[in-house]
Amino acid sequence: MSEQLAIELEGIDKRFGAVQANKDINLKVKKGSIHGIVGENGAGKSTLMSILYGFYHADGGEIRIDGKTVTIASSQAAIALGIGMVHQHFMLVENFTVLENVILGAEGGARLSKGIGRARAELKRLAADYDLKVDPDAITGDLPVGLQQRVEILKALFRGADILILDEPTGVLTPPEADHLFRILRVLRDEGKTVLLITHKLREIMAVTDEVSVMRRGEMVATRETSKTSMGELAELMVGRRVLLDVEKTPAQPGAPFLSVEGLNVRDARGVDVVKDVSFEVRAGEIVGIAGVSGNGQSELLEAIAGIRPARSGVVTIDGTRIDLAAARRDPAEIRSYGLAHVPEDRHRMGLVTRFHEYENAILGYHRDPACGRGAFLDLDAIRATARAGIEKYDIRPPDCALKTANFSGGNQQKIVLAREIERDPAVLLVGQPTRGVDIGAIEFIHKRLVALRDAGKAVLLVSVELDEVRALADRVLVMFDGRVVGERAPETAESELGLLMAGATQEAAE
Amino acid sequence: MFDTLILILDSTVRLSTPLLLAALAGLYSERSGVFDIGLEGKMLGAAFAAGAAAAVTGSAWIGLGAGIAVSIALALVHGFACITNRGNQIVSGVAINFLAIGLTALLGQDWFRQGGRTPPVTGDARFETLVLPFADALREVPVIGGIYSELLSGHNILVYIAFLAVPFTWWVLFRTRFGLRLRAVGENPAAVDTAGISVTWLRYRAVICTGILCGIAGAYLSVAQSAGFIKDMTAGKGFIALAALIFAKWKPVPVMFACLLFGFLDAVAIRLQGQQVPGIGEVPVQAIQALPYILTVVLLAGFIGRAVPPKAGGTAYVKERS
Ligand SMILES: Nc1ncnc2c1ncn2[C@@H]1O[C@H](COP(=O)(O)OP(=O)(O)OP(=O)(O)O)[C@@H](O)[C@H]1O
Ligand SMILES: [Mg+2]
């Protein structure tokens, strides 16, 4: 066992305006280990990693790489020191091919022709060595997120990274994809590379890391050997109090159907049928969960019901109002007015305008509400008051509604959307990936809010790739595969059975 | 009939050249994420500088150099405002246009006292037409003679430079490291930054390329196509070039065809001036002059699909999460 240190941080400080994102951080990471970092949303994890990667500059403190004191003035310097990073939000050029993305910044000469051939060979080698297969000529933006992430990892390895930082890599991955990633990380570690892994999923920390450090409100509060700690202890260290890792709920009392979907068919822009003849009901006072490997039509289903995506055929009934989705292009605002709220899966693309102030996002889509103003004028005081109430209730940090939304941490951005949609008290709530990128304290809170909404007699349709989450929250589970609902199960059904259904095994085989 | 066609096509080439140079100029800047509606102003400034320098020194090449220098200077002003100081790119572009209109008129009157014109340039002070080899010998050969000797031969060197700039730009954009980074920074500057490349320097280089090409476009107007600078001689060509750029979806080869199309419309307009068209009567020239703009709007609205500009275009790069 080598006790050499790959990374040593001493007294790192970083302040953004009024927010102290990192306070006197000390961290030691052993060479050839997988080191986890956990902490609440906004604890400063991404900031710390961005400092290590030269993307931000620390206000003070010292960084040592392999025992040598260094200044990391730019990402270029970080790359030269053998540091690679997979950012929480991918840093890819979407209309580039995979190959182009990988060589960007490491082209190997002023003319591309030479470098490209070498890069292609190198990618092939990396793909074989680490089981990181991606078509080098595919357009990056067309790839599913799991593959886009591989491209990010390939980028780092291509540059010869010895230290690999992954910021919430599994937030967007399905469980099998995450397992695959962890196999790769272990291989990298066994080769002597050092991995820094940020995640909110304590199970992953327990499964894959050697050591784990906990951050809270900008400070490093503890470092533990993974084998000598527990999920409960980590959760408590993170949040500063005991956290319930399970959802507490009473049996559902379903009432009249609030949301019914009949014969929904959706074809996407490429002409592929992505939702096929889906019908189901969600009753007042129940949570229906949709389980499935991502990309099996769940996202499109939600978007079609919300009126964002045109459907080829299908009727939804929301709280008694029948809407023919295939008729004239439906307007999401109209559908909302019947009592439907929607927390989109991808908060960056659909949920938020990140360049807006927080309070503007807090009413986005509801700006015509009488509560937000009169006629053409917005009542900013009332809007700010609404925003502040949301910030308080959902513990959004920092509690500043005038801050630009882009400057909130990932999990806090998610809370902004949730606060906006849930607090409207809708009859029907559609939620996609409600806890993606959210810390465990907040997960506990969000789960409680969803259950409370149910207990208040509302209908909740939940889509999540986290099977655990679906099983914990839902009163009934629908499994989607290849655009169809392939089965309905009770949430207590064994994970293996649900897993088989999700993988497309036929009904009979699963029974 | 064939001769008329050749004549129209010949003037199409002449008229498209400044559009092509300006549109390719805009392509560099806009592909890097810096929108530039100041093409017009840079061209005008360059035309004036070229006209003035050529008249004073008697050398067209010095005129060209002066035009390029002034255009680069204006491009750097735009860069300083938009890249370094993160100013609004549209406002800066408009300002440069006004600056160029005002300064060229003012300095022109002050220096030469000919109502804003520069003294006419002749001889070495103007780019002469080049005759391609065998052009005279082939002149009498049917069809080929017309095409080769009239259409391809007999232009000044800047015309050839403009058309050679098309494959060159394509090569730069898609076959060089600079081009790859240029395209990347226009789409996602954060990706470029995290790859260890300076966004600022890259965008400055793009803007300088814009300056060079706009400079050539301006010099073409005053010391190649015409013999001297005339007040406001760009007459909206910078904006037509911009339309061509959008029309061509920021791609070099389509840019050439778009500019040829707009140049062709211009050539037809000139040809039709004052002529009676059967069934219509005298065609108002303004209607044909408006065609490039109308065409751009109509075609973009329905026929060739959406022109998606470089994703990061129009916004300054600030280090933060999106
Ligand atoms: N560019 C910025 N400008 C202003 N404030 C910022 C900026 N970047 C981060 N912050 C603030 O710094 C704090 C730490 O953010 P950081 O992204 O490091 O959190 P995190 O631990 O990664 O959270 P999450 O788990 O939600 O991703 C937050 O309060 C955030 O709002
Ligand atoms: Mg983060």
Side-chain angles (χ1 to χ4, degrees), chain A residues 12 15 18 48 60 69 73 85-86 112 114 169 199 209 263 299 332 343 382 394 396 420 480 487:
Chain A
I12 300 288
R15 171 180 281 285
L48 186 65
T69 305
M85 178 157 177
V86 176
L112 291 182
K114 265 184 287 160
T199 175
T209 63
S299 319
V343 178
Y394 285 77
I396 296 168
R420 177 180 74 209
M480 270 187 94

Side-chain angles (χ1 to χ4, degrees), chain A residues 147-161:
Chain A
L147 289 184
Q148 292 192 8
Q149 185 176 66
R150 276 188 206 179
V151 179
E152 285 280 27
I153 298 174
L154 284 169
K155 258 168 76 174
L157 295 179
F158 182 74
R159 288 161 172 71

Side-chain angles (χ1 to χ4, degrees), chain B residues 2-318:
Chain B
F2 180 70
D3 286 348
T4 320
L5 187 67
I6 290 288
L7 275 179
I8 290 183
L9 290 181
D10 190 43
S11 62
T12 297
V13 169
R14 280 173 228 282
L15 291 165
S16 333
T17 297
L19 299 180
L20 183 54
L21 287 164
L24 289 175
L27 190 143
Y28 282 91
S29 178
E30 302 215 339
R31 273 281 180 145
S32 82
V34 180
F35 283 161
D36 192 353
I37 63 165
L39 296 176
E40 174 86 1
K42 283 195 274 289
M43 243 206 291
L44 191 64
F48 174 71
V56 172
T57 63
S59 158
W61 289 100
I62 292 179
L64 178 66
I68 292 176
V70 164
S71 175
I72 289 180
L74 289 173
L76 288 177
V77 171
H78 189 54
F80 185 67
C82 304
I83 305 170
T84 306
N85 290 315
R86 301 177 192 144
N88 184 299
Q89 301 176 0
I90 304 300
V91 173
S92 163
V94 171
I96 284 171
N97 286 338
F98 278 122
L99 190 73
I101 293 176
L103 270 186
T104 51
L106 181 78
L107 293 178
Q109 179 59 18
D110 189 52
W111 292 349
F112 303 107
R113 310 222 167 269
Q114 298 185 8
R117 289 166 178 266
T118 58
V121 288
T122 47
D124 282 348
R126 192 176 170 192
F127 285 104
E128 298 291 342
T129 54
L130 300 179
V131 178
L132 295 185
F134 312 117
D136 287 323
L138 288 172
R139 192 169 299 278
E140 299 311 319
V141 181
V143 184
I144 296 185
I147 292 176
Y148 183 76
S149 307
E150 290 294 333
L151 195 52
L152 298 183
S153 173
H155 298 286
N156 62 68
I157 185 154
L158 298 185
V159 174
Y160 298 108
I161 288 179
F163 282 87
L164 287 176
V166 175
F168 180 73
T169 299
W170 179 87
W171 180 79
V172 167
L173 217 50
F174 296 102
R175 289 291 179 269
T176 68
R177 174 173 66 191
F178 173 64
L180 183 80
R181 294 177 173 189
L182 186 81
R183 286 182 288 136
V185 80
E187 289 290 324
N188 187 355
V192 169
D193 194 3
T194 53
I197 307 162
S198 160
V199 171
T200 306
W201 172 225
L202 192 52
R203 286 191 164 166
Y204 265 108
R205 279 190 289 168
V207 166
I208 290 172
C209 291
T210 303
I212 295 172
L213 284 167
C214 263
I216 303 176
Y220 175 84
L221 292 178
S222 63
V223 296
Q225 194 180 28
S226 313
F229 175 81
I230 308 166
K231 218 169 86 182
D232 291 334
M233 81 182 305
T234 44
K237 290 194 178 60
F239 295 107
I240 299 196
L242 215 50
L245 185 60
I246 297 169
F247 190 50
K249 301 184 181 175
W250 294 267
K251 294 190 185 104
V253 177
V255 158
M256 180 182 75
F257 287 114
C259 290
L260 281 172
L261 176 65
F262 292 169
F264 176 75
L265 291 174
D266 212 4
V268 172
I270 291 169
R271 183 102 202 140
L272 286 180
Q273 209 150 23
Q275 291 203 359
Q276 294 291 327
V277 175
I280 305 178
E282 194 169 318
V283 186
V285 182
Q286 290 85 345
I288 297 186
Q289 278 167 345
L291 261 181
Y293 298 105
I294 297 173
L295 212 66
T296 305
V297 172
V298 171
L299 290 187
L300 282 183
F303 293 94
I304 58 166
R306 231 152 62 83
V308 187
K311 214 186 274 158
T315 48
Y317 177 57
V318 187

Side-chain angles (χ1 to χ4, degrees), chain A residues 168-225:
Chain A
E168 280 187 49
T170 56
V172 293
L173 299 186
T174 60
E177 283 173 328
D179 287 342
H180 184 228
L181 173 68
F182 294 148
R183 276 201 299 281
I184 295 166
L185 296 186
R186 288 197 194 95
V187 173
L188 289 171
R189 172 191 58 192
D190 296 344
E191 278 190 351
K193 295 191 195 289
T194 309
V195 178
L196 266 169
L197 174 72
I198 298 179
T199 175
H200 286 297
K201 297 176 194 162
L202 295 178
R203 271 210 306 177
E204 298 176 353
I205 292 286
M206 302 310 288
V208 72
T209 63
D210 301 310
E211 284 194 307
V212 51
S213 297
V214 184
M215 288 184 76
R216 186 164 74 218
R217 307 207 175 194
E219 290 177 271
M220 193 60 84
V221 293
T223 297
R224 296 273 187 275
E225 253 176 74

Side-chain angles (χ1 to χ4, degrees), chain A residues 261-466:
Chain A
V261 175
E262 290 156 63
L264 183 65
N265 281 288
V266 178
R267 181 171 286 178
D268 72 4
R270 292 164 300 166
V272 179
D273 289 308
V274 282
V275 176
K276 298 170 191 164
D277 209 18
V278 167
S279 303
F280 63 88
E281 263 181 12
V282 186
R283 295 173 170 275
E286 74 168 348
I287 300 178
V288 170
I290 296 192
V293 176
S294 72
N296 275 286
Q298 306 97 310
S299 319
E300 290 83 359
L301 174 73
L302 279 192
E303 288 173 19
I305 298 175
I308 297 169
R309 184 183 276 276
R312 293 182 61 218
S313 65
V315 175
V316 291
T317 312
I318 296 166
D319 197 8
T321 316
R322 258 178 76 89
I323 304 156
D324 185 355
L325 288 177
R329 181 79 181 253
R330 283 289 151 187
D331 165 14
E334 184 194 334
I335 294 185
R336 257 166 206 244
S337 70
Y338 302 133
L340 179 124
H342 178 207
V343 178
E345 286 186 312
D346 181 345
R347 54 186 173 249
H348 270 106
R349 210 161 49 83
M350 297 191 139
L352 294 168
V353 181
T354 51
R355 298 166 60 88
F356 277 14
H357 296 292
E358 194 275 344
Y359 67 81
E360 290 171 307
N361 273 306
I363 58 147
L364 196 69
Y366 298 102
H367 50 279
R368 294 233 170 79
D369 259 26
C372 296
R374 226 169 231 284
F377 298 96
L378 292 174
D379 180 350
L380 288 183
D381 287 333
I383 291 171
R384 288 199 195 99
T386 313
R388 276 192 214 104
I391 285 177
E392 174 138 350
K393 191 154 179 189
Y394 285 77
D395 191 21
I396 296 168
R397 287 184 225 161
D400 175 6
C401 69
L403 195 65
K404 227 169 91 174
T405 313
N407 291 338
F408 282 87
S409 74
N412 281 301
Q413 292 180 354
Q414 174 76 336
K415 290 198 233 167
I416 295 171
V417 182
L418 281 161
R420 177 180 74 209
E421 302 296 332
I422 295 183
E423 290 311 303
R424 296 288 137 178
D425 206 18
V428 178
L429 178 70
L430 310 180
V431 263
Q433 322 298 352
T435 53
R436 175 176 281 174
V438 171
D439 69 56
I440 45 167
I443 290 177
E444 178 193 25
F445 173 79
I446 290 167
H447 284 175
K448 273 192 192 147
R449 289 295 309 151
L450 292 176
V451 171
L453 201 68
R454 175 199 80 160
D455 291 342
K458 315 292 173 162
V460 178
L461 179 65
L462 164 79
V463 167
S464 174
V465 290
E466 303 285 336

